[in-house]
Amino acid sequence: MTVIYSHRKGKTTKTEDMTMTKNEDRINKLFKELVPETGKADSLAGELVRAMSRIAYRFYNDGDMVNIAYGKETCNPAARFLIAKGNAEVSSLTAGLWEIFSEDAYEKVMDILCGAVVDYVEQNPDLRTQPTEDMWDFKDEEEDQDDSWDEEEDDWDEEDY
């Protein structure tokens, strides 16, 4: 069963389906340990887990993908955070999400990325004590806007309705 945790408005929510990968199980355990109920994590380790969980939660819950439509608003800041603060593997895999348009391929890369984030956090215990920036500080106000509404408005003709 896939369970990707997200804290919103003071309560934990989760997305479920019938399968859970080993990497999803690992990130969920770290999420419970390192991510507060609201706001940014206290440590870089926690914020890395929070950013990864945000990207996964938005995909499994709403189908949002990095740099596509509403995913620009919901996922891009977390992806930029992982690129800036992760190790080379985390950064490279995250950058790869920007170029994937197939949901199946995106899900596979996301699972590998999830494992890479967990490995990075587990292999670097000092990340648990390092202060961190909020992943939302990595939002690009110009680029991280859903432009799909503009396309839909262009196709709309009042006479058709």
Side-chain angles (χ1 to χ4, degrees), residues 127-155:
L127 297 174
R128 293 170 181 258
T129 59
Q130 287 184 23
T132 187
E133 297 171 81
D134 190 315
M135 68 178 174
W136 292 109
D137 293 343
F138 288 75
K139 181 174 184 169
D140 183 315
E141 294 295 335
E142 290 182 22
E143 288 186 25
D144 297 342
Q145 295 184 25
D146 180 0
D147 55 6
S148 65
W149 287 99
D150 295 338
E151 294 169 12
E152 290 174 15
E153 288 175 6
D154 291 343
D155 294 339

Side-chain angles (χ1 to χ4, degrees), residues 11-119:
K11 71 185 214 189
T12 302
T13 58
K14 61 185 177 179
T15 298
E16 299 180 9
D17 77 20
M18 299 313 291
T19 61
M20 178 185 283
T21 70
K22 176 181 161 189
N23 289 329
E24 290 167 343
D25 185 48
R26 294 169 68 209
I27 200 87
N28 286 336
K29 288 177 183 172
L30 284 177
F31 189 95
K32 290 177 187 177
E33 177 187 346
L34 298 171
V35 179
E37 293 239 355
T38 61
K40 79 174 187 71
D42 293 331
S43 67
L44 180 54
E47 199 67 3
L48 288 164
V49 169
R50 178 177 174 233
M52 178 65 242
S53 295
R54 173 67 181 193
I55 292 169
Y57 179 83
R58 294 302 307 185
F59 177 72
Y60 289 116
N61 189 53
D62 295 316
D64 294 351
M65 294 169 62
V66 171
N67 207 39
I68 298 175
Y70 192 51
K72 290 180 178 183
E73 295 179 27
T74 63
C75 299
N76 283 14
R80 282 197 178 85
F81 179 84
L82 290 174
I83 290 168
K85 300 297 181 177
N87 62 8
E89 182 181 17
V90 168
S91 181
S92 177
L93 287 166
T94 305
L97 290 178
W98 291 71
E99 304 299 323
I100 298 174
F101 302 99
S102 158
E103 288 183 8
D104 289 338
Y106 187 91
E107 186 172 15
K108 289 175 184 171
V109 171
M110 196 172 49
D111 185 59
I112 296 167
L113 173 59
C114 187
V117 169
V118 173
D119 289 344

